[in-house]
């Protein structure tokens, strides 16, 4: 398995390449479309896996999936964010978290997402071998209701924004549901992944 980090400003996308195909995890903001497609060139991408429905992870997801000729996947509870352009507020606790939530809400409100219905609905425990990667989907709600992660059989976890690593691995700085986000962080720590790949920040152990 080869893991390629694609840096997209403050966000990350990842290309997971196995012997039988590749999965692209997130697509980033619109302005990085060509960078993402270049990273995927010749990699037999069989699935675009969206960790959640915020613009900085999926703004041009439909067009990228079309260009790659593969299905687009998202958790059920986040489908309205992508399919209807629904805007859901995020919250924060503490000064830094509230400031981050305020900035995030401004971006959520003013950033347009290419609206589309995903081809695949991600569910907890779904096997990803049909798309060329040995791993499974893991539900990681809280940051958004439909946030999903990808856990490789080798132990690496792609957590989206269920956790962040701006200064150190920590709970998300903003969330739709504080309690659920905390439960998800506990779930991740209980899984004890060999390494966590974050939507924001450098990969790290916990």
């Amino acid at each position: 398995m080869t893991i390629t980090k694609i840096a997209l400003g403050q966000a990350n996308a990842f290309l997971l390449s196995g012997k039988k195909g590749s999965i692209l995890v997130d697509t980033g903001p619109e302005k990085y479309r060509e960078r993402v497609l270049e990273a995927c060139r010749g990699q037999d991408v069989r699935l675009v896996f969206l960790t959640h429905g915020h613009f900085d992870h999926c703004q041009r997801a439909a067009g990228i999936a079309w260009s790659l000729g593969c299905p687009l996947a998202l958790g059920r509870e986040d489908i309205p964010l992508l399919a209807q352009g629904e805007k859901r507020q995020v919250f924060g606790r503490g000064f830094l978290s509230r400031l981050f939530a305020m900035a995030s809400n401004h971006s959520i409100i003013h950033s347009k997402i290419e609206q589309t219905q995903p081809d695949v609905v991600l569910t907890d425990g779904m096997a990803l071998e049909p798309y060329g990667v040995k791993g499974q989907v893991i539900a990681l709600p809280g940051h958004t209701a439909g946030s999903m992660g990808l856990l490789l059989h080798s132990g690496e976890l792609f957590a989206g924004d269920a956790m962040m690593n701006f200064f150190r691995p920590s709970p998300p700085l903003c969330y739709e549901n504080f309690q659920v986000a905390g439960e998800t962080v506990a779930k991740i720590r209980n899984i004890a992944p060999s390494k966590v790949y974050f939507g924001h920040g450098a990969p790290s152990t916990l």
Side-chain angles (χ1 to χ4, degrees), residues 93-167:
R93 293 191 178 188
F95 176 76
L96 180 60
S97 184
R98 287 176 180 171
L99 191 65
F100 191 86
M102 185 183 302
S104 296
N105 283 324
H106 181 272
S107 296
I108 288 168
I109 291 169
H110 294 285
S111 298
K112 293 182 179 180
I113 293 177
E114 185 179 21
Q115 294 183 23
T116 190
Q117 190 77 22
D119 306 290
V120 176
V121 178
L122 298 172
T123 57
D124 191 46
M126 179 186 292
L128 294 169
E129 282 87 344
Y131 304 102
V133 170
K134 293 183 178 180
Q136 67 183 59
V137 179
I138 179 169
L140 300 174
H143 178 69
T144 66
S147 288
M148 293 287 179
L150 190 160
L151 181 63
L152 295 179
H153 288 175
S154 52
E156 298 91 344
L157 173 67
F158 296 81
D161 286 1
M163 293 185 72
M164 298 178 177
N165 189 23
F166 286 115
F167 310 108

Side-chain angles (χ1 to χ4, degrees), residues 1 5 11 34 38 41 52 86 110 112 114 119 125 141 148 183-185 198 200:
M1 172 67 63
K5 176 184 172 182
E34 293 306 317
E38 180 61 30
R41 197 177 308 278
H52 62 293
E86 181 179 296
H110 294 285
K112 293 182 179 180
E114 185 179 21
D119 306 290
M148 293 287 179
E183 291 169 354
T184 285
V185 171
F198 304 91
H200 299 282

